[in-house]
Every structure is written in structure tokens, then in C-alpha cells.
Amino acid sequence: MTVRLRTMEADYLNVSTTSGTPKYAFMGVGFTKADESPSAKTTSKQYINQKSAVQTITSYDWKMAVEADQIK
């Protein structure tokens, strides 16, 4: 099994100032932290012949907190 390092993943930030076509910029120099939080949303259902409920992942509420330096 290979370990996937953070340096192997590229992140991009939508820097568009309008709600029209998105414009993405590479997050590299200046960014010091990027914490991803996928937060799975689930539904739960229990049928009459089951002892416990079954959970199913329906979607993800993905968020990423970032820290960056202001570089002119």
C-alpha cells in the first residue's frame, strides 16, 4: 500500500468576483493550512425484521478551512 502525501494533491480556489463563470486559481504559495471536512450526510431506516437501523450515505457536505498569508 502506498501512502498518499498531501503534496501529491492539488487544491484550487474559486476566485471569481461574479456569480457567472467560475475562475479557479491554484492554491500553492501563501497557503499554510487546508483542512478538509467531508461530513457524510446519512439516512437511517429500520425494518420490522431488523434489530437495528441501517444507515446509508446520501451525500457529502464538503467544507475546507484554509489559512493563508497575504502576499502582495
Side-chain angles (χ1 to χ4, degrees):
M1 183 168 90
T2 305
V3 175
R4 188 138 181 99
L5 302 174
R6 185 70 176 116
T7 56
M8 300 168 85
E9 296 290 329
D11 286 311
Y12 296 87
L13 181 67
N14 183 359
V15 294
S16 175
T17 57
T18 64
S19 60
T21 306
K23 180 181 176 186
Y24 293 98
F26 175 67
M27 293 170 56
V29 173
F31 286 88
T32 57
K33 186 177 181 181
D35 288 337
E36 298 178 55
S37 176
S39 301
K41 291 192 174 199
T42 61
T43 58
S44 182
K45 185 172 268 192
Q46 182 175 359
Y47 295 100
I48 59 173
N49 66 332
Q50 294 176 326
K51 274 188 164 183
S52 58
V54 175
Q55 286 191 336
T56 306
I57 296 174
T58 56
S59 65
Y60 290 94
D61 185 19
W62 188 84
K63 295 176 184 167
M64 183 167 63
V66 296
E67 288 182 13
D69 295 331
Q70 285 189 331
I71 300 173
K72 191 172 183 177

